[in-house]
């Protein structure tokens, strides 16, 4: 196989809108610059959709829906399986593409390729296991039959932080269930989605089943809203920030759409007095530094029992201080840049606020000199609970540590947020692990582990972190309606 270079992967990606099986330019010829966050310079340009292009994409999805729903489940499953294998074969290309447009290191991008591809393998197996049930009504007079049918044309809006996996987690179950799609990737990271659409085309996905439109950040709302309000659309699935999710849910209420929302998080990371400190620090490195902290699952608040806090913070600061920053494509680099200047400035402002309110910087705490949107891996001790970062997603490589004395205090602190995506807890006491897992108001809990994402598990949040689940047995249900047929004897 030829060597994978920056130029070769960028040249190989189609740059147009993908509508009804055709690649095409946007109606008004506008394009979007895709920047390299490590340099701030443009890598390439892709087509931008107009309102009419958005409508054309939905037209194509609607036209393809009936035939697609009739396709044998085995065929849909085999297609997903072929796509899984092809992504795996082309892992280096996908990894390079993500590193270039998003900034994460190649090692992290390879991890995302493996994780993202697994959703296709998982849902290739689920496609043939869709079933209904049959029962006798309590009065014995009628029979009750239920069947599962695809929801119908679905709009998928995805974020920039996991350009592949946030797509496959939606596209996989939609293909398995028999739904057609319009996908809008984040304006910063469209290349991975375009490469994925092309790969699915090569695997034989029929025209119109998957359509991809890109929009500029300025035109996104104007192009998406008419689609969400179009009576032919049956479902909206969104991964992104809570404020945007709220506004999309309002728009979706017009057509009473099926809605799945994977929104922001503010994960607490609890270390109890009986925890194994080395294991907790390993978990903290994963929960904090995966994706440079730019993950909805990133540990945002570290609550450590006062008896362990100094030992834990010092060990974490040593590990964080030893990380090497740099362009994600370079060997030996552990931490890439943040996605853009705005993201980097937000992290910087949150650290300044915490320090002004009394936090101590154990390591990091600054913007390094030079190009790119880098921020130093940072550990803060004695972070007061009124610091802004206790309420807001940091979305960067900053670990704020606060102490607690009792289990009741730990739970109160952990649940004191509008979010409810994931919580992490470290303890060797099984009964404490169960009691705490039950008391945490979160959709997911990691016990003695700093990572919960798994294609075989239901991923999702409660409260302002969203509704619905992706992955697991639950993931395909989001794309299926239950129809009940009553049969008189
Ligand atoms: P974002 O600003 O909400 O953007 C997400 C997507 O929504 C992008 O494609 C964006 O397009 C689009 N969008 C923005 N405004 C819109 C509008 N008015 N109408 C329709 N679409 C609109 O979020 P982000 O900064 O990309 O992603 C980070 C957020 O995602 C964090 O809060 C993170 O926690 C969350 N997230 C959650 C999960 C989860 O599973 N719960 C997973 C990953 C990320 P443009 O690019 O054109 O703005």
């Amino acid at each position: 196989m030829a060597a994978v270079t920056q130029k070769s992967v960028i040249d190989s990606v189609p740059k147009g809108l993908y509508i009804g099986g055709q690649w095409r330019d946007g109606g008004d010829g506008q394009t979007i610059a895709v920047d390299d966050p490590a340099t701030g310079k443009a890598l390439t340009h892709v087509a931008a959709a107009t309102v009419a292009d958005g409508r054309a994409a939905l037209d194509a999805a609607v036209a393809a829906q009936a035939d697609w729903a009739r396709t044998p489940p085995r065929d849909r499953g085999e297609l997903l399986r072929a796509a899984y294998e092809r992504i795996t074969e082309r892992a280096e290309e996908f990894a390079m593409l993500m590193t270039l447009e998003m900034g994460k290191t190649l090692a992290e991008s390879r991890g995302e390729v493996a994780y993202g591809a697994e959703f296709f393998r998982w849902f290739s197996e689920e496609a043939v296991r869709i079933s209904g049930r049959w029962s006798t009504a309590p009065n014995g007079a009628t029979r009750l039959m239920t069947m599962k049918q695809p929801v119908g044309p679905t709009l998928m809006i995805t974020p920039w932080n996991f350009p592949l996996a946030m797509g496959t987690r939606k596209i996989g179950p939609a293909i398995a269930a028999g739904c057609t799609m319009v996908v809008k990737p984040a304006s910063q990271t469209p290349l991975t989605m375009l490469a994925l659409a092309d790969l699915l085309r090569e695997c034989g996905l029929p025209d119109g089943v998957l359509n991809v439109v890109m929009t500029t950040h300025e035109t996104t709302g104007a192009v998406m809203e008419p689609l969400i309000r179009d009576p032919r659309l049956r479902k909206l699935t969104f991964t992104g920030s809570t404020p945007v999710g709220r506004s999309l849910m309002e728009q979706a209420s017009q057509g009473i759409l099926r809605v799945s929302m994977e929104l922001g998080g503010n994960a607490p990371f609890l270390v109890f007095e009986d925890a194994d400190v080395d294991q907790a620090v390993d978990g903290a490195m994963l929960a904090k530094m995966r994706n440079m902290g730019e993950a909805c699952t990133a540990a945002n608040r570290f609550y450590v029992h006062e008896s362990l806090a100094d030992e834990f913070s010092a060990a974490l600061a040593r590990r964080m201080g030893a990380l090497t920053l740099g362009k994600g494509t370079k060997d030996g680099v552990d931490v890439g840049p943040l996605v853009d200047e705005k993201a980097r400035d937000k992290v910087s402002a949150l650290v300044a606020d915490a320090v002004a309110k009394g936090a101590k910087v154990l390591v990091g705490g600054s913007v390094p000199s030079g190009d790119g949107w880098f921020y130093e891996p940072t550990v803060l001790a004695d972070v007061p609970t009124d610091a802004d970062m206790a309420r807001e997603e940091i979305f960067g490589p900053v670990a704020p540590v606060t102490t607690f004395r009792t289990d009741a205090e730990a739970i109160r602190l952990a649940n004191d947020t509008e979010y409810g995506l994931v919580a992490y807890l470290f303890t060797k006491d099984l009964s404490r692990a169960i009691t705490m897992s039950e008391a945490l108001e979160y959709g997911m809990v990691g016990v003695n582990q700093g990572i919960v994402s798994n294609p075989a598990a239901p991923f999702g949040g409660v409260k302002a972190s969203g509704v619905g689940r992706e992955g697991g047995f639950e993931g395909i249900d989001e794309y299926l309606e239950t129809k009940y047929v009553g049969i008189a004897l």
Side-chain angles (χ1 to χ4, degrees), residues 204-289:
L205 190 70
D207 294 351
V209 173
L210 172 81
N211 305 277
V212 182
V213 292
M214 289 76 71
T215 51
T216 68
H217 186 60
E218 291 67 35
T219 59
T220 296
V223 179
M224 291 297 107
E225 186 163 351
L227 299 189
I228 298 169
R229 294 185 186 279
D230 190 308
R232 299 171 301 165
L233 188 75
R234 293 310 323 135
K235 179 176 169 76
L236 169 65
T237 171
F238 171 75
T239 299
S241 61
T242 295
V244 173
R246 275 201 181 99
S247 124
L248 295 182
M249 276 182 93
E250 276 179 30
Q251 294 171 27
S253 68
Q254 186 72 27
I256 320 286
L257 296 184
R258 284 280 296 270
V259 172
S260 304
M261 292 276 150
E262 298 285 351
L263 307 177
N266 181 2
F269 187 103
L270 305 172
V271 185
F272 291 92
E273 71 260 39
D274 59 3
D276 175 330
V277 175
D278 291 340
Q279 189 182 36
V281 172
D282 285 346
M285 289 302 292
L286 274 176
K288 182 72 255 181
M289 293 309 291

Side-chain angles (χ1 to χ4, degrees), residues 154-174:
T154 298
L155 176 62
M156 305 179 164
I157 302 179
T158 59
W160 50 263
N161 61 345
F162 292 99
L164 181 72
M166 297 305 98
T168 56
R169 205 155 89 157
K170 299 181 189 304
I171 295 167

